[in-house]
Amino acid sequence: MVPPAGENDVHARLRDAEAMLDAIIEHAIIQLDLAGTVVRWGPGAELMTGYSAAEMVGKSVSVLYTDEDRAAGLVDRELAAVREAGRFEFEGWRVRKDGRRFRAAVVVTAIRDAAGVVTGLTKVLRDLTAEQQRADSMFHGLLESAPDAMVIVASDGRIALANAQADRLFGYRREDLIGREVETLIPPRFRGGHERYRSSFFADPRPRQMGVGLELWGLRRDGTEFPIDVSLSPLRTDEGLLVSAAIRDVTERREQEQRLRRQHEEIMELSTPVIQVWDKVLTLPVIGTLDSARAARLTEGLLFKIAETQAEVVIFDISGVPTIDTQVAQHLLGTVQAAALMGTTSIMCGVRPETAQSMVHLGIDIGQLRSRTTLRHALQLALTLLAERAEAAAGVATLMGPAGAG
């Protein structure tokens, strides 16, 4: 008996649909009856799970579930959810024929007849393991291409991943570094503090510089220490929160900073030189603007030189100071007072007319500070003061002589 033409069309469409489904091998497409028994097993399901159609048709789909999920009745709950809602999506673990587990994205939909009655189910699985492997491969590629040493640390403080730059920087082989506590890479004296920093990061995970304002140090396998900068970033994964640490050796930068600091100090020394122009006479040419830092250095250098040379007179040459304000004057007078406490007389020279007018206008009291117009005149005064002191000292020695002899 020949089937009606309409029935032939239906069968043809079904065959076409099945052929289309069979052509999709990236996904496992499975048809089930209402009890969860396999009715149709597509080529994609065979590739993904390792089971052939002959092995699975007529068997329960629960074969693909883990022992724990079967014991928990997960299969029946999923089937019931699809029969009730018509569609169900979730992620879960499945098991291949060889026993290996894989993470799968699962979509189950109901098959209905012309009256709308659910007659079966279609289940589609997408293997997330392969996608995860591709993502991991990309991640590892990015990790290896990073210019800095990269260390990925789990919440227990152990190193989960590290790139080749980390191996070279710290002197470890990859297999020796993975699984170690991250504190292995830190000098022992800093480890207690680092554990607190690590705990605080996992409590408030956000990108940040580690130890802002602090000097951080790394420890190589051979025991040598070196200065580092560390940038932290959180990584949220299926296995939990991880922290990515980008570590950079800043030895060269620190050395350059130290060189610049030394050069700055040398320049500052040159800008406030203390010169011995005569026995027990010092001159201090002040050039440019005085600020608090420079004034402190000036005072310190002068007092050191007075103690070294036993100077009795110091000449402040301010001809190179463009302006005098209250702050500059206070700096100078403070230095004069400090010198006086060491028994040294101060003379100021090089005061310009406009500078003198400014000092009077500002009401700056220079106290007992002696002043001369030029360095030559100031030096003449200094020699006179030395002669007077020597004469006075000789007179005192003469008066003390007979008393000392008696």
Side-chain angles (χ1 to χ4, degrees), residues 25-48:
I25 59 174
E26 293 83 5
H27 297 74
I29 301 176
I30 307 166
Q31 290 184 5
L32 309 173
D33 63 17
L34 296 180
T37 301
V38 175
V39 176
R40 192 170 188 282
W41 189 258
E46 183 171 340
L47 289 173
M48 187 178 296

Side-chain angles (χ1 to χ4, degrees), residues 167-400:
D167 300 343
R168 288 193 291 268
L169 182 60
F170 289 97
Y172 285 90
R173 295 184 302 172
R174 188 76 53 90
E175 56 269 25
D176 294 332
L177 196 57
I178 303 302
R180 285 178 178 261
E181 292 183 347
V182 71
E183 281 77 22
T184 302
L185 306 180
I186 300 169
R189 64 184 181 279
F190 299 123
R191 288 175 183 172
H194 183 266
E195 290 175 0
R196 292 192 294 272
Y197 285 130
R198 174 162 52 81
S199 298
S200 67
F201 181 85
F202 279 99
D204 180 22
R206 54 187 171 81
R208 69 181 83 166
Q209 285 290 118
M210 179 180 171
V212 176
L214 299 177
E215 287 194 355
L216 304 177
W217 293 85
L219 179 68
R220 294 189 176 93
R221 187 171 191 171
D222 62 8
T224 57
E225 298 183 11
F226 60 103
I228 57 175
D229 272 353
V230 183
S231 298
L232 304 176
S233 299
L235 295 174
R236 302 184 186 280
T237 69
D238 291 339
E239 289 74 29
L241 180 66
L242 304 175
V243 56
S244 168
I247 306 169
R248 178 170 296 181
D249 183 350
V250 295
T251 301
E252 185 175 346
R253 192 184 77 191
R254 293 278 177 87
E255 290 175 350
Q256 184 177 7
E257 290 173 352
Q258 289 173 359
R259 285 196 297 269
L260 291 174
R261 192 158 43 244
R262 286 195 299 269
Q263 290 172 0
H264 177 71
E265 291 173 353
E266 291 168 359
I267 291 170
M268 292 297 291
E269 291 291 344
L270 292 172
S271 68
T272 53
V274 181
I275 305 168
Q276 185 171 3
V277 294
W278 201 265
D279 185 32
K280 297 187 183 300
V281 180
L282 300 176
T283 181
L284 179 62
V286 184
I287 303 170
T289 304
L290 278 179
D291 56 19
S292 298
R294 189 175 175 214
R297 185 177 293 276
L298 180 149
T299 303
E300 180 183 349
L302 177 61
L303 297 181
F304 177 81
K305 199 71 174 179
I306 289 173
E308 180 185 14
T309 63
Q310 296 297 302
E312 296 181 7
V313 181
V314 60
I315 301 170
F316 290 88
D317 182 0
I318 66 168
S319 58
V321 177
T323 58
I324 289 283
D325 57 21
T326 303
Q327 186 177 18
V328 172
Q330 292 301 327
H331 286 321
L332 287 173
L333 292 177
T335 305
V336 168
Q337 291 167 358
L341 291 174
M342 298 183 70
T344 304
T345 302
S346 297
I347 303 172
M348 182 182 292
C349 71
V351 180
R352 301 176 183 179
E354 61 271 22
T355 302
Q357 289 179 353
S358 297
M359 294 176 71
V360 172
H361 178 72
L362 293 170
I364 298 171
D365 182 11
I366 63 173
Q368 301 300 314
L369 179 63
R370 304 186 187 207
S371 180
R372 291 293 184 270
T373 54
T374 66
L375 179 60
R376 177 184 176 185
H377 293 141
L379 184 56
Q380 289 175 346
L381 175 57
L383 296 177
T384 300
L385 292 174
L386 288 178
E388 291 176 353
R389 285 193 178 191
E391 186 177 337
V396 171
T398 301
L399 292 174
M400 295 291 292

Side-chain angles (χ1 to χ4, degrees), residues 18 21-22 24 27-33 36-53 56-65 79 82 94-95 102 104-111 120-126:
E18 289 176 353
L21 292 177
D22 288 345
I24 302 173
H27 297 74
I29 301 176
I30 307 166
Q31 290 184 5
L32 309 173
D33 63 17
T37 301
V38 175
V39 176
R40 192 170 188 282
W41 189 258
E46 183 171 340
L47 289 173
M48 187 178 296
T49 67
Y51 288 103
S52 66
M56 288 302 300
V57 172
K59 299 273 186 71
S60 172
V61 74
S62 63
V63 171
L64 301 180
Y65 287 68
L79 295 174
V82 177
R94 295 294 182 265
V95 182
F102 66 100
V106 185
V107 178
V108 187
T109 55
I111 302 173
L121 308 171
T122 299
K123 189 172 211 174
V124 179
L125 283 74
R126 190 173 84 253

